[in-house]
Amino acid sequence: EPLITLNKVNKTYNKYSKLKKHVLHDISLEINIFQKDVAEKMGTTQQVVSKIENGNPPIRTFYAYCRAIGVI
């Protein structure tokens, strides 16, 4: 079962978009998963994951990240 509901992910995304916070990084730290692990699950590089965490990714990328860390 996901740790966070899709509704919470949507709320987090909306907050993230508005406040430009590093919500994705904060979530990954909370559940103790590293960028290299997220990158492997997403089929990308750690550098791309870092850019996702520090930027304002499109909702599709946000969801892909959340799936990779197991919150949805």
Side-chain angles (χ1 to χ4, degrees), residues 1-60:
E1 183 171 311
L3 299 172
I4 301 173
T5 65
L6 187 56
N7 187 37
K8 186 166 182 179
V9 170
N10 283 328
K11 286 180 182 177
T12 301
Y13 180 80
N14 290 335
K15 179 180 177 183
Y16 173 70
S17 294
K18 290 176 186 172
L19 300 178
K20 306 290 188 220
K21 298 271 184 181
H22 300 276
V23 171
L24 295 175
H25 182 68
D26 293 346
I27 291 170
S28 67
L29 288 177
E30 187 175 320
I31 63 173
N32 199 30
I33 190 168
F34 299 98
Q35 287 180 343
K36 65 183 174 91
D37 302 319
V38 176
E40 187 176 304
K41 290 180 180 189
M42 291 181 72
T44 191
T45 65
Q46 181 272 327
Q47 290 83 2
V48 169
V49 171
S50 178
K51 287 180 184 179
I52 291 168
E53 289 181 349
N54 293 301
N56 189 12
I59 188 104
R60 224 172 221 219

